[in-house]
Amino acid sequence: MAMSVQPNEQSLWDCVLEMTKAAQEKNSDPIVWAVQLTSTLNSAGVPLPSTHLAYVLISHICWDNHVPIAWKFLEKALHVGIVPPCLVLALLSSRVIPNRQLHPAAYRLYMELLKQHAFSFLSLVNGSNYSKIMKSIDEVLHLSQIFGLKVCESGILVAYVFSVVLQLLDASLDDESLLEIAPEKNFRWPTKPQDTKMDCLDIFNVKRTEHHEGLCKANTTMAIELVGEFLQNKVTSKILYLACQNMPLHWEGFVQQLKFLVMKSTALRNSKHITPDTLLQLMSGMHSVLSGECKRTSKEVHAIINTSSLISSSGQSNVTTQSALWLPIDLFLEDAINGSQVAAYSSIEILTGLVKALQAFNGTSWLDTFLGLWIAALRLVQRERDPSEGPVPRLDSCLSMLLSITTLAVADIIEEDESELIEETEHSPSSHGQEKHAPGDRRKDLIASLQLLGDYEYLLTPPQSVRSIANQAAAKAIMFVSGVTVGNGYHYESVSMNDLPINCPGNMRHLIVESCIARNLLDTSAYLWSANVNGRSNQIPRNVNTQTQGWSSLMKGTPLTPALINALIATPASSLAEIEKVYEIAANGSDDEKISTAMILCGASLVRGWSIQENTILLIIKLLSPEVPAVHSGSESHLIGYAPFLYVLLVGISSVDCVQILALHGLVPLLAGALMPICEVFGSSIPNVSWTLPTGEGLSSHAVFSSAFTLLLRLWRFDHPPLEQVVGHMAGPLKSQLSPEYLLLVRNSMLASCRKSPKNEFKTKRFSKVLTMPSGPIYLDSFPKFKFWYRQHQECIASTLSGLEHGTPVHQLVDALLNMMLRKINRSGTPLTPTTSGSTNSSGSGVEDVSIRLTVPAWDILEATPFVLDAALTACAHGRLSPRELATGLKELADFLPATLATIVSYFSAEVTRGIWKPAFMNGTDWPSPAANLTSVEQQIKKILAATGVDVPSLETGGSSPATLPLPLAALVSLTITYKVDKASERFLTVVAPALSSLAISCPWPCMSIIASLWAQKAKRWSDFLVFSASRTVFHHSSDAVVQLLRSCFTSTLGLSSSHVCSNGGVGALLGHGFGSHLSGGISPVAPGILYLRVHQSVRDVMFVKEEIVSLLMHSVRDIASGGLPRGKSEKLKKTKYGLRCGQVSLAGAMMRVKNAASLGASLVWMSGGLCLVKSLITETLPSWFISVHGPEQEGGESGVMVALLGGYALAYLAVLSVSFAWGVEVESRYSKKRPMVIGAHLEFLASALDGKISLGCDAATWRAYVSGFVSLIVECAPTWMQGVNVDVLKRLSKGLRQWNEKDLALALLGIGGVGAMGAAAELIVECGI
C-alpha cells in the first residue's frame, strides 16, 4: 500500500530514492548510505524511525531491485533505527510470502530479519510514534478487518504477532501442498502471487534448479522452526496467549492448522531443531503461559486455593475441613426448603451456579465437587430423619431436593460440558463422520463420585417413610445384575418385597443411582457397582411373576377401576411415558376419568416421582389452563365446565410440601399465570350452579374460586406484615418482595428465555413432548377483577377504610354478610354500631333473605369484607359483640367463602400496625388464656436461645402482669383456634398461620409466646415446633440477639467455641442434627446455623447484618491468628518478602480457617439479603471499612502482621465469594446483568485508592493483601467478570499493582480484560519482559 504524501514532501522522497539508487550503483558501504540518509531526514525534520521511509525502501526492493546490496541497505536501516522493524516486516510479508516460490532468497532474508527483529518490541512500544506505526501496520495487513477489532489501535500489536505466525504456518502448509486439504479454510493469508501471469509461472517452473528447490525446502523448514520460536519465546508466547484468550475462533483455526501440520509435514520431521512432539508440547503449554506465572503472588493464598482432594484425606479433622469446602451448599439447601417463604426462581439454577462457583473457588476436581454436593444433600435429608412434628412437613421437600433438584443441577453441569464438546466437534472440520456423543470428563467424574459415596454409610440410611422405595430400588439393581426376568411386563415399583426370597435392604445411594439413570446421566451398567449382591445371586429365582395392579396395568390399557386408581395414587410413576398416559386420559377422557387422573397426578407421582417431577408439575399447570372445546358456545367461560376437574387439581397441589416442591423447581410464576384466569372467571361467576364430586361433596363456583385464590396468595409475600411493605429501611428493598405483578413478569421472562436461549436446548429435551409453552405474555391488567381486589388490599394496608355509601349494593352486601355471621348467635338481632366508614346497623333479616342476597360473585363479597370486619371489630371493642361471638362470626364468614381469609388477614394485620385498638386481656373469660403453659413456653424459648449462645434478659414477662394482645391480633388468633387440626383445614390454615406468625413476631413481647402457648394447648404434638417458631420474635426486636447468634455461627463453624459440641467446627457444628425433639422431657438444643436460617427472615433491619458480618469476620481472624493455630506452632512464624510465613501446617491451617470464615460470612450475607445486600456490601460497606480508621491490633509484632495479612485475605474471600454466590462465575446468566456494574464500581474504588485519590484508614498490609487477593481470586476463579469493565479502570489498577512489584498479577488482570485490554496487556509484557 502506497502512502499519500503532500506535494512538497514528494521531492524529499524522490531525493531519498535517487540517493539510494546512486549508492546501489556505486556499491557504497551500507553504513555510509545510512549516515547520509539519516542526515538528510534530520535536516528535513522527518521524525525517526520513519514509516514513509519503510514504504519507500520496500517498494524499491520488491521487485525491481531485488539484489543483495538493496537488502543490505534495508538491514542497515533497521540496525540504525531509521525505519520501524515491525512495519518493515509487515510490508515484506505482504510482498515476499506470496512470491516466496519465485523469490526464495527474499523469503529467506525475510525470515532472517524476523529472527533479528520480531522478538523485541521495547523500542516500538516506548517510541513516540508507536500509535502511528501500529496504524500503518493495520493498514498494510488489514488486521482490524480480519480479526474484528473495533478500535484500530487496541490490540494491534497482538494481532500483528499472531498474523506473523499465521502467515508462516499457511506458507509452510502451502509449500508441502497441504493447504488445500487442511481442515481450516476460513482464515487464509495470501500464499501465492495475486497478479503474476500464468505464462511467467510456466517459464519459472521450467527454469527451477536443484539449488532453487533445496532453498525452498530449507525455507519451509525454517518457517516451521520460526513458528516454534514464536511459541517458545518468553515475550511472543505471552502475546500469542492473549490472542488465544481474545480471538477464540481464529485461534481454533490456528490450532487445527498446526495439528494438521504436525501430522502431515515432512519438513517438520526432517528438522534438526524441532520435532513434532515439541511443537505439540509448545501448543498445549500455551494455556499455562500466563496462568502458570500469573497465579497469586501471595504464596500463602495459592497454597490454600489448591486444597487437598476429598478422596485423598482421612480422619475426623480432615473430614471436617473437607465438609467446610461445601458449607455454602449445606446452607443453601437448608434455606431453600424453609417453608416460610416461596421462591420465584428455580433452585436448580441457583444450585448449579453455586456449585460452579465453589468448584472454581476451591480449585477442586469435578469428582470432588460432585461428591461434596451429594454429601451435602444427604446431610439435608439426614437432618430430617426424626423431625419434630409441625404444620410444615419438610421430609418430602428434602427428598425432592436430593433426588430431583440436585440431580437436575448435576445434569445441567454435565450437559453443558458435553454440549460444548459436541459443538466443538461439529465445528471441527476434521471430525466429520466421527462419533459426537462420547461422554465427557464430568460424566466420568459423576460416576466416580457415586462409587465413592458408598463409603459414607452413615449418610445413606433412608428415612423410615422411604425405606420401602429404597428397598425396591435395591431389588431392581440386584435382579438386573442377576439376570432375573419379571413376568407380565416388569415394573419394579409393583414388585412386592414378599415376592423375593431374599432381603434387599436399600439405601439412599440406590435411590440416587436410580434417579441418575432415569435422567440419562448413568446407564444400567451402574447397577453392577451399586447392587451390592454380595454373593446372593444364587438365591434369586430366575423369573418373578407379578400380579399387582399398577402402572404396568395402565400402560397395557387396563381401564381405571377404583383399585387401580388407588394404586396409581399411592405409587409414583417411574417414567415420562406413564405420566403422559395419565395426561392423555385427563385431556381426552370422560368427566369421571378426568377427576380420577387429577387425583393420580397430584398423588405420589407429584411428591415422590423424583425422576419426572418437573414434568408432572408442568402437566398439571397445563391442565389448569384447558383449551376451549370445539363445541363450546355462549358468553360463559369454558373454564366453568371444568369446575370439578380444576377443583380436584387445585386441592391436590395445595399441600405445604407440594407448594414447596413447585417453588424448588422454579415453576411458581407459571402456576400463578394459570391460577389468575381461574380466579378471574370463577370469582366473577354467580354460584347458581353446583356440581357433585365422586366423593359426594357438593361444589360451587365459590369453592373453586377460593381454592385457586388462596393457593395464589401463598405464592407471593402476602403473609408479611404491612409494615415491611411500606417502610423503606425494612427488608423490602433488600429481599425479593414477591407480588402478583412480579410473578407475572418473571413468568413472561421465563417463557421468552425458553424461546430465545440456545442454552435451553438440552433442558427442553427433558420435557414431555405433549407440553407446549404459552404463546404470549400476560399482565395484571388482563385480570380487572383481581387487579381491583389487589388495589383494595393495598389501600387497606395503607389507610383506614372509607367510601362506603348508604344504599349501595356494597352496603347491602355488608348487611347481608353481618347477618350471616351472627345468625347462630342468640343476640343476632342486636344492632352493631355504625363504623366510621358508614356501615349501618345489621337488621337481622331472615336466613332465606340473607341467602338470596349472598348469591353474588365472590369478588363482590371480597369487596364488602373489609367493611364487615370493621363493623364487627368495632362492635367487639365497644362490648356489643363478645370475643367468642366475634370468633364464631369470623369462622362463619370464612366457611361461607374461604377466600375471605385473605381480607381478614390483610385487614387485621393493618389494624394491628396502626395501634389504635385497646388491648385484649387473654384471661380465659373473654378471650382464651395462655396461662396454662405460657411460663413453660418462655422457658423453652430461653433454653433454645441459650443453647446457641444468645442471652436476652428482656424475655421476662414482668411477673403476674396479665397477658394481653392487640385486639385485631386476638381476634385473628381466636379465629385460627376454631379450625380443626386436620387435612381439610390445612389449605386454609396455611393462608392464615404464616400471616399470624409474622404479625405476632412484629408485635411487642410476649405476643408471640402467648400465641404459641394458645396453639400449643390446641395441638400439643406441635408444641416444640411452635416454641421454636416463637423464638424468632427475639431477633426481630433485638439487634444484640442477632449479633450474638451470628457470633455463635462463626465460633461454631471455626471450632473456636468452648462448647464441646462445637469443638471440631465445620458443618456438623453449624447445622447439627437439624430441628427435632431428640431428648426426653423437652426440646433438644438447636445448632446456631439452623436457628439463624429460620429467623433471618424476621430480622427487622437486615442492612446492619452485613456490617456485623464484616466485624465478626475480622474478629474471627484475630482469634485464628492468636489462638486458632495449634499450640507450639506460633513460634514458627517467620518474616518473608510476602509479609509473614509460618510453619507449613500452621499457616495452611490458619488460611483454611480464614477461608471457611469468609465462606460462612458470604453465605450469610447472600441468604440474609439477596442480591441487593451483596451489592451494598461490595459498593458501600467494604469501601467504608477500608476508609475508616481501625484501632490497633491487640497484639503487636509478628502476630499483628499476621492478623493484618489474614484480615486482608479474609475480606478478599468475602467479597469474591459474595459476588459469585449472587451472580455466578459464568459469562452470562439470569442473575448476572448487574454484576459488571457492581464489580466495576468496586474496581474503580480500588484503582482510585491506588492512584492516591482516596485516603485509607486501614493497615497498609491489610490493604495490600486485600487488593492482591481480590484480583488474584478473580483472575483464577472468575475471569469472565472482567468482561464489560472499563478498560481504563483495569489499566489504572494494573499500574498500581506494578508499583507493588506485582507485575505478573497486573498482566493477568489485563489478560482477562477482553479485547479492549489486550493491547495494554501486550505492552506490559513488552515493557516488563515477562
Side-chain angles (χ1 to χ4, degrees):
M1 175 183 291
M3 286 192 66
S4 60
V5 295
Q6 298 295 329
N8 57 348
E9 296 180 5
Q10 188 62 48
S11 58
L12 170 65
W13 299 113
D14 289 343
C15 178
V16 168
L17 188 57
E18 291 301 324
M19 181 188 303
T20 301
K21 289 180 179 179
Q24 181 178 322
E25 290 176 0
K26 296 178 182 179
N27 201 22
S28 299
D29 189 338
I31 189 62
V32 174
W33 169 83
V35 171
Q36 292 176 348
L37 183 56
T38 303
S39 176
T40 300
L41 295 176
N42 286 332
S43 300
V46 176
L48 299 177
S50 169
T51 57
H52 199 96
L53 179 60
Y55 280 92
V56 170
L57 293 180
I58 299 304
S59 298
H60 172 69
I61 293 176
C62 302
W63 292 103
D64 295 337
N65 294 279
H66 172 37
V67 292
I69 187 63
W71 282 94
K72 290 180 180 180
F73 286 165
L74 178 62
E75 183 183 16
K76 191 57 66 178
L78 288 167
H79 181 72
V80 300
I82 58 177
V83 289
C86 288
L87 179 57
V88 168
L89 293 172
L91 290 166
L92 283 175
S93 68
S94 64
R95 290 164 170 79
V96 172
I97 292 179
N99 295 282
R100 66 192 181 284
Q101 297 292 343
L102 190 61
H103 303 291
Y107 187 37
R108 170 54 66 93
L109 291 172
Y110 162 72
M111 289 189 289
E112 292 292 347
L113 292 176
L114 273 179
K115 279 188 173 183
Q116 297 176 31
H117 300 284
F119 298 96
S120 177
F121 305 95
L122 188 59
S123 60
L124 170 67
V125 171
N126 293 331
S128 58
N129 56 353
Y130 170 57
S131 297
K132 181 180 180 182
I133 295 172
M134 287 293 99
K135 183 177 181 180
S136 298
I137 292 174
D138 185 34
E139 291 173 349
V140 171
L141 298 177
H142 311 290
L143 299 176
S144 296
Q145 179 180 352
I146 292 173
F147 294 110
L149 302 178
K150 296 181 180 179
V151 182
C152 178
E153 296 177 6
S154 177
I156 294 300
L157 179 58
V158 177
Y160 164 70
V161 174
F162 191 24
S163 70
V164 172
V165 177
L166 288 172
Q167 290 178 86
L168 291 173
L169 179 59
D170 279 1
S172 301
L173 288 168
D174 187 53
D175 289 343
E176 298 192 80
S177 301
L178 298 174
L179 190 59
E180 293 299 326
I181 60 174
E184 180 56 49
K185 303 181 185 301
N186 294 326
F187 308 110
R188 286 279 179 84
W189 299 86
T191 56
K192 289 183 171 60
Q194 301 299 311
D195 301 322
T196 305
K197 295 181 180 180
M198 294 302 297
D199 54 351
C200 293
L201 286 176
D202 292 340
I203 295 173
F204 168 73
N205 289 334
V206 172
K207 295 182 177 180
R208 290 174 71 96
T209 64
E210 184 178 346
H211 171 73
H212 193 103
E213 285 284 352
L215 184 56
C216 288
K217 290 182 180 180
N219 285 347
T220 302
T221 303
M222 184 177 181
I224 295 173
E225 292 170 353
L226 269 174
V227 171
E229 288 189 39
F230 272 94
L231 294 174
Q232 191 172 22
N233 181 268
K234 190 175 183 181
V235 172
T236 56
S237 62
K238 290 180 172 61
I239 293 176
L240 287 173
Y241 182 70
L242 294 175
C244 171
Q245 284 184 304
N246 297 287
M247 303 174 183
L249 293 178
H250 297 78
W251 186 263
E252 182 182 354
F254 166 65
V255 170
Q256 294 292 336
Q257 298 287 72
L258 191 63
K259 289 181 177 179
F260 188 73
L261 179 78
V262 169
M263 292 172 55
K264 302 292 186 179
S265 174
T266 303
L268 176 59
R269 288 193 291 272
N270 294 334
S271 173
K272 298 179 180 179
H273 301 289
I274 191 170
T275 64
D277 290 340
T278 302
L279 197 57
L280 283 178
Q281 289 174 3
L282 290 173
M283 172 56 59
S284 62
M286 285 298 297
H287 292 284
S288 60
V289 165
L290 280 184
S291 59
E293 296 186 13
C294 298
K295 294 283 186 182
R296 293 183 183 81
T297 54
S298 303
K299 294 184 179 179
E300 297 91 340
V301 180
H302 178 69
I304 297 305
I305 285 297
N306 294 310
T307 52
S308 59
S309 170
L310 282 173
I311 61 174
S312 63
S313 304
S314 60
Q316 180 61 40
S317 61
N318 285 333
V319 171
T320 301
T321 301
Q322 295 156 10
S323 68
L325 291 176
W326 315 109
L327 174 63
I329 296 180
D330 285 88
L331 289 171
F332 167 75
L333 296 179
E334 190 68 45
D335 191 55
I337 56 123
N338 186 357
S340 65
Q341 55 186 335
V342 176
Y345 288 111
S346 168
S347 293
I348 303 166
E349 290 184 47
I350 301 174
L351 181 59
T352 301
L354 179 60
V355 170
K356 289 179 182 177
L358 288 173
Q359 190 272 338
F361 179 76
N362 292 327
T364 54
S365 67
W366 279 108
L367 188 158
D368 290 346
T369 303
F370 287 142
L371 183 59
L373 174 60
W374 291 121
I375 289 175
L378 284 167
R379 278 196 292 256
L380 175 72
V381 174
Q382 293 302 320
R383 284 193 290 270
E384 290 298 316
R385 281 181 54 80
D386 186 20
S388 179
E389 188 174 354
V392 186
R394 288 157 38 100
L395 180 58
D396 280 326
S397 298
C398 293
L399 290 169
S400 178
M401 181 66 83
L402 169 66
L403 299 171
S404 185
I405 303 300
T406 301
T407 307
L408 286 170
V410 171
D412 282 351
I413 293 170
I414 290 176
E415 287 169 359
E416 178 187 56
D417 174 50
E418 295 184 354
S419 65
E420 293 175 356
L421 180 64
I422 292 172
E423 185 177 355
E424 290 176 4
T425 305
E426 289 176 346
H427 285 82
S428 174
S430 60
S431 63
H432 294 304
Q434 297 181 7
E435 176 61 45
K436 300 179 181 179
H437 299 282
D441 292 336
R442 293 182 189 177
R443 190 181 295 266
K444 298 174 183 176
D445 288 338
L446 169 64
I447 297 171
S449 72
L450 290 174
Q451 290 172 338
L452 289 171
L453 198 59
D455 298 335
Y456 297 82
E457 293 183 6
Y458 65 97
L459 291 174
L460 299 179
T461 303
Q464 183 64 39
S465 60
V466 294
R467 189 163 295 170
S468 62
I469 302 178
N471 292 344
Q472 290 166 355
K476 181 178 180 180
I478 291 174
M479 288 189 291
F480 177 87
V481 172
S482 304
V484 176
T485 59
V486 181
N488 300 326
Y490 172 64
H491 190 280
Y492 83 92
E493 279 89 354
S494 65
V495 177
S496 171
M497 292 300 102
N498 296 327
D499 294 334
L500 297 176
I502 62 166
N503 184 27
C504 301
N507 58 34
M508 295 306 297
R509 189 174 72 156
H510 288 113
L511 293 178
I512 294 173
V513 169
E514 199 63 43
S515 178
C516 290
I517 291 175
R519 299 286 184 184
N520 294 319
L521 298 175
L522 304 176
D523 56 31
T524 52
S525 64
Y527 291 139
L528 298 175
W529 48 262
S530 67
N532 297 327
V533 177
N534 295 329
R536 295 177 298 185
S537 58
N538 293 332
Q539 305 175 32
I540 302 175
R542 308 317 300 172
N543 184 278
V544 177
N545 292 314
T546 61
Q547 302 297 332
T548 307
Q549 278 195 326
W551 288 98
S552 57
S553 301
L554 177 71
M555 297 304 290
K556 292 177 181 179
T558 304
L560 288 175
T561 62
L564 179 57
I565 292 170
N566 291 333
L568 299 181
I569 292 174
T571 307
S574 63
S575 69
L576 186 55
E578 293 168 349
I579 213 69
E580 286 176 342
K581 179 70 172 179
V582 177
Y583 172 82
E584 180 184 346
I585 299 173
N588 305 312
S590 65
D591 290 344
D592 288 342
E593 287 178 329
K594 288 180 183 292
I595 293 176
S596 298
T597 54
M599 292 189 292
I600 294 170
L601 286 171
C602 298
S605 294
L606 173 58
V607 177
R608 293 187 175 176
W610 301 297
S611 62
I612 54 167
Q613 200 165 61
E614 73 279 17
N615 278 287
T616 303
I617 297 170
L618 287 169
L619 289 172
I620 291 174
I621 293 175
K622 182 176 174 61
L623 290 172
L624 287 172
S625 303
E627 298 180 357
V628 180
V631 296
H632 177 73
S633 62
S635 59
E636 187 180 67
S637 171
H638 71 286
L639 293 177
I640 298 295
Y642 290 94
F645 176 59
L646 295 175
Y647 178 78
V648 174
L649 284 174
L650 291 169
V651 173
I653 62 175
S654 293
S655 69
V656 174
D657 263 337
C658 285
V659 173
Q660 187 63 30
I661 290 170
L662 278 161
L664 292 178
H665 283 278
L667 298 175
V668 162
L670 292 181
L671 177 61
L675 292 176
M676 286 187 185
I678 298 175
C679 293
E680 192 74 12
V681 169
F682 285 93
S684 304
S685 175
I686 297 175
N688 52 13
V689 178
S690 63
W691 302 268
T692 302
L693 296 175
T695 59
E697 178 185 356
L699 184 66
S700 68
S701 60
H702 280 182
V704 180
F705 169 77
S706 292
S707 297
F709 187 67
T710 53
L711 179 56
L712 177 60
L713 293 182
R714 293 164 57 192
L715 305 184
W716 51 286
R717 306 302 281 270
F718 171 79
D719 60 287
H720 276 229
L723 192 60
E724 292 191 9
Q725 301 184 29
V726 296
V727 179
H729 74 280
M730 294 301 212
L734 295 171
K735 299 176 183 177
S736 176
Q737 282 289 340
L738 302 188
S739 66
E741 299 104 320
Y742 180 75
L743 286 175
L744 291 182
L745 287 175
V746 175
R747 171 201 176 272
N748 298 339
S749 175
M750 288 172 60
L751 295 178
S753 175
C754 287
R755 288 189 289 266
K756 294 179 181 178
S757 176
K759 286 187 176 182
N760 290 318
E761 181 180 353
F762 270 99
K763 295 181 182 179
T764 54
K765 289 181 180 179
R766 304 175 192 156
F767 297 147
S768 169
K769 294 181 180 179
V770 303
L771 283 170
T772 55
M773 292 298 177
S775 57
I778 58 175
Y779 303 97
L780 200 61
D781 291 337
S782 304
F783 313 103
K785 293 291 186 180
F786 180 86
K787 182 178 179 181
F788 178 85
W789 172 86
Y790 182 53
R791 297 299 177 229
Q792 186 189 43
H793 166 74
Q794 292 180 314
E795 291 170 4
C796 178
I797 289 172
S799 62
T800 56
L801 292 174
S802 62
L804 181 61
E805 298 180 5
H806 182 76
T808 61
V810 175
H811 178 271
Q812 295 173 3
L813 190 53
V814 169
D815 279 346
L817 288 169
L818 286 170
N819 280 304
M820 179 204 68
M821 291 171 61
L822 303 177
R823 66 188 177 188
K824 291 186 179 180
I825 301 173
N826 293 332
R827 302 191 297 122
S828 60
T830 302
L832 302 182
T833 300
T835 67
T836 56
S837 61
S839 66
T840 62
N841 298 344
S842 175
S843 62
S845 302
V847 175
E848 183 178 350
D849 179 54
V850 169
S851 176
I852 294 173
R853 285 193 291 163
L854 292 180
T855 308
V856 295
W859 289 121
D860 294 349
I861 296 175
L862 290 182
E863 182 182 358
T865 300
F867 302 103
V868 173
L869 299 174
D870 192 31
L873 193 62
T874 301
C876 183
H878 290 83
R880 285 179 296 276
L881 197 65
S882 71
R884 184 180 298 275
E885 290 169 342
L886 176 62
T888 302
L890 292 174
K891 183 64 162 57
E892 284 289 319
L893 178 62
D895 287 346
F896 172 70
L897 184 66
T900 57
L901 286 170
T903 306
I904 293 173
V905 166
S906 63
Y907 172 78
F908 284 153
S909 297
E911 293 305 311
V912 169
T913 59
R914 290 187 184 108
I916 61 176
W917 300 92
K918 294 181 180 180
F921 291 90
M922 314 302 290
N923 52 20
T925 303
D926 299 320
W927 299 93
S929 171
N933 60 343
L934 179 58
T935 301
S936 173
V937 166
E938 292 178 344
Q939 289 300 321
Q940 289 187 65
I941 291 175
K942 292 193 70 172
K943 180 180 178 181
I944 291 173
L945 300 180
T948 55
V950 178
D951 181 20
V952 184
S954 60
L955 291 185
E956 300 297 338
T957 59
S960 59
S961 59
T964 62
L965 291 176
L967 179 61
L969 182 58
L972 190 58
V973 69
S974 298
L975 170 62
T976 62
I977 291 175
T978 63
Y979 280 92
K980 295 181 180 179
V981 182
D982 56 16
K983 193 71 174 178
S985 300
E986 178 186 321
R987 288 185 293 134
F988 309 121
L989 284 175
T990 51
V991 176
V992 183
L996 176 65
S997 178
S998 297
L999 185 60
I1001 286 172
S1002 64
C1003 290
W1005 182 267
C1007 289
M1008 186 62 198
S1009 60
I1010 291 174
I1011 292 175
S1013 300
L1014 293 173
W1015 258 99
Q1017 293 175 29
K1018 181 178 180 65
K1020 293 183 179 180
R1021 66 181 186 274
W1022 292 358
S1023 178
D1024 289 346
F1025 173 86
L1026 295 166
V1027 171
F1028 185 72
S1029 298
S1031 66
R1032 292 183 295 162
T1033 189
V1034 175
F1035 301 95
H1036 180 82
H1037 294 287
S1038 173
S1039 297
D1040 289 340
V1042 177
V1043 174
Q1044 292 177 48
L1045 181 57
L1046 286 170
R1047 182 179 296 112
S1048 293
C1049 290
F1050 276 91
T1051 56
S1052 61
T1053 301
L1054 300 174
L1056 299 174
S1057 173
S1058 58
S1059 171
H1060 175 72
V1061 71
C1062 297
S1063 59
N1064 291 327
V1067 176
L1070 179 65
L1071 299 179
H1073 53 66
F1075 170 69
S1077 297
H1078 302 279
L1079 298 179
S1080 59
I1083 189 171
S1084 63
V1086 179
I1090 292 292
L1091 183 58
Y1092 184 80
L1093 292 176
R1094 297 295 186 274
V1095 307
H1096 72 79
Q1097 293 285 335
S1098 305
V1099 175
R1100 180 190 295 268
D1101 180 11
V1102 76
M1103 288 296 293
F1104 96 101
V1105 170
K1106 59 181 172 51
E1107 313 280 352
E1108 293 300 329
I1109 287 175
V1110 171
S1111 176
L1112 289 169
L1113 176 61
M1114 299 309 289
H1115 183 79
S1116 299
V1117 168
R1118 288 192 293 271
D1119 288 344
I1120 291 170
S1122 59
L1125 295 177
R1127 291 184 178 181
K1129 298 294 184 180
S1130 58
E1131 66 273 10
K1132 294 184 180 181
L1133 302 177
K1134 296 179 181 179
K1135 292 276 190 175
T1136 72
K1137 68 176 182 177
Y1138 297 105
L1140 186 72
R1141 184 177 178 85
C1142 68
Q1144 184 67 29
V1145 175
S1146 59
L1147 180 57
M1151 285 295 296
M1152 177 58 76
R1153 296 172 85 182
V1154 166
K1155 177 181 174 181
N1156 292 343
S1159 176
L1160 172 63
S1163 302
L1164 295 178
V1165 169
W1166 176 45
M1167 292 173 189
S1168 298
L1171 309 185
C1172 292
L1173 196 61
V1174 173
K1175 176 184 175 183
S1176 179
L1177 171 72
I1178 302 301
T1179 59
E1180 298 172 8
T1181 303
L1182 289 179
S1184 297
W1185 191 92
F1186 287 114
I1187 293 173
S1188 302
V1189 177
H1190 303 279
E1193 301 296 340
Q1194 295 177 354
E1195 299 182 16
E1198 294 184 348
S1199 295
V1201 175
M1202 185 176 188
V1203 170
L1205 183 69
L1206 294 179
Y1209 289 140
L1211 292 175
Y1213 286 130
L1214 175 69
V1216 174
L1217 278 174
S1218 297
V1219 175
S1220 65
F1221 293 165
W1223 292 291
V1225 296
E1226 295 179 290
V1227 177
E1228 185 177 348
S1229 69
R1230 185 198 299 270
Y1231 317 98
S1232 64
K1233 294 180 181 178
K1234 291 186 178 181
R1235 185 179 63 203
M1237 178 183 67
V1238 175
I1239 292 294
H1242 195 60
L1243 292 178
E1244 172 63 34
F1245 166 74
L1246 300 185
S1248 297
L1250 291 174
D1251 292 342
K1253 298 177 182 178
I1254 298 176
S1255 298
L1256 301 174
C1258 66
D1259 186 281
T1262 300
W1263 170 247
R1264 178 165 179 171
Y1266 175 78
V1267 174
S1268 60
F1270 182 79
V1271 175
S1272 297
L1273 285 168
I1274 291 178
V1275 168
E1276 290 190 33
C1277 306
T1280 58
W1281 289 2
M1282 293 300 98
Q1283 297 186 18
V1285 174
N1286 190 299
V1287 176
D1288 290 335
V1289 173
L1290 296 182
K1291 291 180 179 179
R1292 290 162 52 204
L1293 189 53
S1294 175
K1295 180 180 178 182
L1297 291 170
R1298 293 201 305 274
Q1299 292 173 350
W1300 286 345
N1301 199 32
E1302 300 275 13
K1303 297 178 182 178
D1304 291 334
L1305 189 56
L1307 173 59
L1309 176 63
L1310 292 174
I1312 62 174
V1315 175
M1318 187 168 61
E1323 292 162 13
L1324 179 59
I1325 292 171
V1326 172
E1327 291 175 2
C1328 299
I1330 57 176

